[in-house]
Amino acid sequence: MGAAGSSAAGSEGGSGRTGLGDLPEGCVAEIMLRLDPTQICRLARLSRVFRRAASADLVWETKLPRNYRYLLRRALGEESSGGREFGKKEIFALLCRRNAFDGEHTEFYLDKNGGLICIEISSKALTITGIGDRRYWAFIPTAESKFRTVAYLHQTWWLEVRGEQEFCFPEGTYSLYFRLRLGKANLRLGRRVYSPEHIRGWDLKPVRFQLSTSNGQFAQTKCYLDDPGIWIDYHVGDFVVGNSDAPITVEFSMIQIDCTHMKRGLCVDLVSIRPKDFNSVPCPL
């Protein structure tokens, strides 16, 4: 049968035939340096040689951000590693999980294929005018939120939601979003339904979103909130990070303070900071 009968996995089974498994481990590692993490994980299934190469520090160090040691410290928090040294693949896997920091209401994780990070900030970590008065706002539990809680607006004349985040971001361009929905979900016969009669005031004046950074960047946008019953990520703006070793503070807000009309029925889930054009792709480590 000639070359068609060659084993793609190599000669590990003792057949005497040559294949990919006979490539030197260093050669395989050099190939993997040019692949993304998802492709590396797939190739690791081919043979023991590929699995060993796919675990090499020199391969995974190229997939980590330049400031990965800082990110590892933030991920571990006050936990002690007991003097243990982490392999680069293990660090990559650890950073790709959801890591809480600055309390339990803020998390970050590494974008597996882009090398940048995503930060998500719960509504409980935001400064919301009137949040302490149940006539205006309430935190309600829901499985629809990653943090299992959203802030729900009963009524207000003065809408003001603010927050800030200081972090050493890996170099790149980031976008900031507010995740909002008009209407509160209620369970009826096991299904979530939304009551539009509690939604009011969002079609009269636009909401102003803005962000500013400690190094002088600024973005602002205005838009009307619409599409009741649907979670929407409202894009506030973008900012650029040029030095991953220098902490940058991002301040952001959502404001509608026209007191000529009442506003009701808004759910605030979280604020996310993520790489521009971010697309999450699973990577089975």
Side-chain angles (χ1 to χ4, degrees):
M1 296 177 61
S6 296
S7 169
S11 57
E12 293 178 357
S15 65
R17 295 175 296 187
T18 59
L20 292 177
D22 296 293
L23 288 171
E25 185 177 324
C27 180
V28 175
E30 283 292 331
I31 295 172
M32 290 182 173
L33 289 174
R34 294 156 176 80
L35 303 179
D36 63 43
T38 302
Q39 294 169 326
I40 294 171
C41 294
R42 290 171 180 164
L43 282 182
R45 302 169 185 168
L46 290 178
S47 70
R48 285 193 294 270
V49 172
F50 277 75
R51 282 196 296 275
R52 288 195 299 269
S55 298
D57 277 355
L58 67 92
V59 171
W60 290 98
E61 188 162 14
T62 64
K63 314 305 174 187
L64 289 167
R66 191 166 61 85
N67 66 338
Y68 72 86
R69 292 181 180 85
Y70 163 84
L71 298 176
L72 182 62
R73 290 195 301 271
R74 298 304 298 264
L76 295 177
E78 299 301 322
E79 298 178 16
S80 172
S81 63
R84 176 186 166 207
E85 291 291 330
F86 291 93
K88 297 302 188 296
K89 180 180 179 181
E90 191 175 7
I91 294 174
F92 185 88
L94 190 153
L95 294 180
C96 287
R97 75 183 189 186
R98 299 180 65 86
N99 297 284
F101 70 104
D102 291 346
E104 60 182 6
H105 304 309
T106 307
E107 298 178 341
F108 83 89
Y109 57 93
L110 184 68
D111 171 15
K112 298 177 178 66
N113 287 332
L116 304 183
I117 60 121
C118 304
I119 293 180
E120 292 179 342
I121 305 163
S122 166
S123 58
K124 284 196 169 183
L126 304 177
T127 301
I128 303 175
T129 300
I131 192 65
D133 192 327
R134 293 186 179 180
R135 294 175 299 172
Y136 304 119
W137 288 89
F139 287 113
I140 58 175
T142 174
E144 295 179 289
S145 171
K146 295 177 182 178
F147 292 98
R148 301 296 176 181
T149 302
V150 300
Y152 178 71
L153 173 64
H154 292 297
Q155 58 180 0
T156 191
W157 299 94
W158 186 290
L159 175 74
E160 186 172 6
V161 181
R162 296 182 178 274
E164 68 175 55
Q165 184 61 58
E166 182 184 75
F167 206 81
C168 289
F169 293 86
E171 293 95 338
T173 302
Y174 293 85
S175 299
L176 188 142
Y177 298 85
F178 274 84
R179 187 170 190 255
L180 311 172
R181 184 188 65 201
L182 293 180
K184 181 173 67 171
N186 296 299
L187 286 177
R188 293 180 185 172
L189 301 176
R191 299 178 59 188
R192 289 190 181 92
V193 295
Y194 304 90
S195 302
E197 64 267 19
H198 298 299
I199 302 170
R200 178 181 174 184
W202 306 108
D203 57 342
L204 300 178
K205 292 290 181 65
V207 173
R208 185 176 81 246
F209 299 93
Q210 67 181 39
L211 72 82
S212 61
T213 67
S214 53
N215 61 359
Q217 300 178 70
F218 179 83
Q220 176 176 284
T221 186
K222 294 182 180 180
C223 67
Y224 291 89
L225 307 188
D226 51 18
D227 292 330
I230 300 174
W231 286 109
I232 298 176
D233 288 340
Y234 288 90
H235 182 215
V236 179
D238 304 330
F239 63 95
V240 179
V241 176
N243 182 2
S244 64
D245 296 323
I248 184 172
T249 300
V250 183
E251 297 182 353
F252 46 87
S253 63
M254 174 180 70
I255 299 173
Q256 217 289 24
I257 55 177
D258 185 333
C259 295
T260 61
H261 64 280
M262 181 71 73
K263 293 164 278 289
R264 302 179 61 183
L266 174 68
C267 287
V268 180
D269 181 10
L270 54 82
V271 170
S272 64
I273 302 173
R274 56 192 193 235
K276 190 174 182 180
D277 303 323
F278 169 70
N279 182 26
S280 180
V281 179
C283 177
L285 298 176

